[in-house]
Amino acid sequence: MANAVNPAGPVSARAASASRLNTTTMHLDCAAEVDRICTWMVNAVGLTLHKRGVVVGLSGGVDSSVCAALATRALGASKVFAVLMPERDSSSSSLVLGQQVAQQLGVKFQIEPIAATLESIGCYRQRDDAMRAVFPDYAAGWKSKITIAGGLNGAKTGGLNFFKLVVQSPEGEVFKKRLPLREYLQIVSATNFKQRIRKTLEYFHADRLNFAVLGTPNRLEHDQGFFVKNGDGAADLKPIAHLYKTQVYAVARHLGLPEAVCTATPTADTYSLNQGQDEFYFGLPYAQMDTALWAHNHGVPVAELAAALHLRVEQADLIYADIEAKRSATQYLHARALMVEPITELIELTGHAPG
C-alpha cells in the first residue's frame, strides 16, 4: 500500500486532495524510513559535522528513545552516549525507562542529576515566588502544573488560549486559578532552566568525546514551537523532526523498544503534578493534533477535518487558526541571531548566514 504521508518529500496537490483523514493517513513504511534516516545520519555525523558519534539526552520518552535507537543502528552502540538528567520534579519512571532503553541498546550512559544546579541558579525559587503571587499558601510539599484553557471550548475568549495554574496541597486539595501574564512568564522562564541546563550537559559530553548532539523533537513539536530556545531546541542534527508523533510511535515499535515506551502518553515531565502535552501546549491529544497538522499542511478543508475529529466546523477552524498562531508566535525560536550585515565568506562555506 502506498504511504499516505511521504516523509521523503512534499506530496503533490492532487495526491493531497485525494487523501482522506483516516487510519491510513499516518501510514509509514517504517523499515524504509529507518534505513533512510540511518543513511542520512551516517553522512551527517561523519561527512558534514566531522564528529565521531552522538550524544543524546535520554528521558525514557518515545522521542529520545527512538533517536537513541536510530543512532545506535546507524553508528553502532560504541558511538552513542546517553545522558539521563533527572531533577526534583521528574517522574521516577523517566529515569527507570531511560536506563532500560540504554541497557537494551547497549550504549554507554551517565546519570547527571541536575536538581542542585537548578536550585543554585534559582529555578525553583523564581518559579515558586511566581506561584505564591497567585496562591499565597503555596509552599514546600505542594505540587503544581500549568494547563492551557480557552481554545476550542473558549467561546467567551473567541478561541484564544490562556493558562491556569493548578496546585495541590499536601492534604490533596486541588486549586485552580487563571494565571496573570507576569506570573505565567516568570514560571515558564524559570522552568526553562531545566532544558537549558540539560543541553549544557549534553554539549559538555559532546565536546569531551568529539561527538555531535542529537535533537529529539518530532514534527508536531518542531513545527509548533514546543521547545526551549538554546535548550531542547539546540542540536547539531534532528533525525525525527520530519515525522509526526504518530509515526514516531510506529518507528518505536518497529525498532523493538520497550512496551512502556511505545505506549506512554506524551508528558512535559516539567512540573510536579502529572501533565500531558495536550494540557500544557497543544490543547488536543497528540493523535488529533497530528491529524490536524497534516490536514492543514495538505490543504484539507475545515469541514473535512471537523468530521474526522468529530468536532464542529467552528472548532476545526479554531484549530487551524491556532496552528498558524503558534507558528507565528514561535518563529523566533527557529531564527538565527540577527546581524548588521552577513559575513559573505562564511556564507560561501556553509550555504547560509551564520548567527
Side-chain angles (χ1 to χ4, degrees), residues 235-285:
D236 299 312
L237 63 165
K238 298 179 179 180
I240 62 170
H242 64 295
L243 296 180
Y244 292 89
K245 187 81 171 186
T246 304
Q247 295 172 327
V248 176
Y249 275 105
V251 172
R253 288 194 176 280
H254 174 77
L255 293 171
L257 287 169
E259 184 67 14
V261 171
C262 296
T263 58
T265 300
T267 66
D269 202 25
T270 299
Y271 294 90
S272 51
L273 282 176
N274 186 46
Q275 177 197 53
Q277 289 183 352
D278 55 323
E279 285 187 291
F280 178 58
Y281 193 76
F282 295 115
L284 286 172

Side-chain angles (χ1 to χ4, degrees), residues 5-22:
V5 178
N6 177 12
V11 179
S12 69
R14 183 176 180 181
S17 63
S19 300
R20 306 304 299 175
L21 302 178
N22 54 39

Side-chain angles (χ1 to χ4, degrees), residues 81-93:
F81 185 80
V83 193
L84 288 69
M85 297 164 280
E87 51 93 15
R88 184 183 299 173
D89 299 319
S90 299
S91 167
S92 58
S93 63

Side-chain angles (χ1 to χ4, degrees), residues 34 37-38 41 54 56 58 62-77 80 101-102 104-105 107 214 239 251-252 254-258:
V34 166
I37 293 172
C38 288
M41 193 181 297
V54 295
V56 58
L58 191 55
V62 68
D63 294 325
S64 64
S65 297
V66 164
C67 286
L70 289 169
T72 302
R73 180 169 292 203
L75 306 172
V80 180
V101 170
Q104 177 178 312
L105 297 176
V107 302
L214 275 187
V251 172
H254 174 77
L255 293 171
L257 287 169

Side-chain angles (χ1 to χ4, degrees), residues 10-239:
V11 179
S12 69
R14 183 176 180 181
S17 63
S19 300
R20 306 304 299 175
L21 302 178
N22 54 39
T23 55
T24 67
T25 300
M26 295 293 161
H27 173 74
L28 183 71
D29 183 338
C30 290
E33 184 60 16
V34 166
D35 287 344
R36 185 171 81 98
I37 293 172
C38 288
T39 299
W40 168 84
M41 193 181 297
V42 169
N43 292 329
V45 173
L47 300 180
T48 303
L49 298 172
H50 305 292
K51 297 296 183 180
R52 297 176 54 248
V54 295
V55 169
V56 58
L58 191 55
S59 68
V62 68
D63 294 325
S64 64
S65 297
V66 164
C67 286
L70 289 169
T72 302
R73 180 169 292 203
L75 306 172
S78 66
K79 300 295 185 182
V80 180
F81 185 80
V83 193
L84 288 69
M85 297 164 280
E87 51 93 15
R88 184 183 299 173
D89 299 319
S90 299
S91 167
S92 58
S93 63
S94 297
L95 183 59
V96 172
L97 279 178
Q99 292 180 86
Q100 185 179 346
V101 170
Q103 290 164 353
Q104 177 178 312
L105 297 176
V107 302
K108 291 182 179 178
F109 68 93
Q110 188 162 320
I111 300 173
E112 298 265 19
I114 62 171
T117 301
L118 293 172
E119 181 73 45
S120 65
I121 207 170
C123 168
Y124 302 122
R125 174 176 54 80
Q126 295 283 2
R127 179 201 63 190
D128 293 351
D129 285 349
M131 290 184 176
R132 271 190 291 273
V134 181
F135 291 105
D137 292 336
Y138 187 84
W142 287 59
K143 295 182 178 182
S144 62
K145 66 180 176 180
I146 290 178
T147 61
I148 196 169
L152 298 185
N153 299 312
K156 294 181 180 179
T157 68
L160 295 176
N161 294 321
F162 61 92
F163 293 90
K164 290 184 177 181
L165 177 60
V166 180
V167 299
Q168 184 182 67
S169 71
E171 293 73 34
E173 293 181 280
V174 176
F175 306 92
K176 303 178 183 181
K177 190 177 290 187
R178 182 168 179 167
L179 263 174
L181 179 60
R182 178 178 175 179
E183 283 70 29
Y184 166 76
L185 291 175
Q186 182 165 326
I187 291 169
V188 172
S189 298
T191 55
N192 284 351
F193 275 129
K194 300 180 181 185
Q195 284 76 19
R196 291 186 173 123
I197 292 299
R198 288 187 174 112
K199 195 58 63 173
T200 297
L201 283 167
E202 289 173 37
Y203 270 101
F204 161 74
H205 289 292
D207 288 348
R208 73 177 180 82
L209 295 168
N210 194 25
F211 280 12
V213 170
L214 275 187
T216 64
N218 58 67
R219 185 173 191 146
L220 183 58
E221 293 170 343
H222 188 71
D223 183 298
Q224 293 291 279
F226 187 53
F227 59 88
V228 175
K229 189 165 188 173
N230 297 324
D232 52 340
D236 299 312
L237 63 165
K238 298 179 179 180

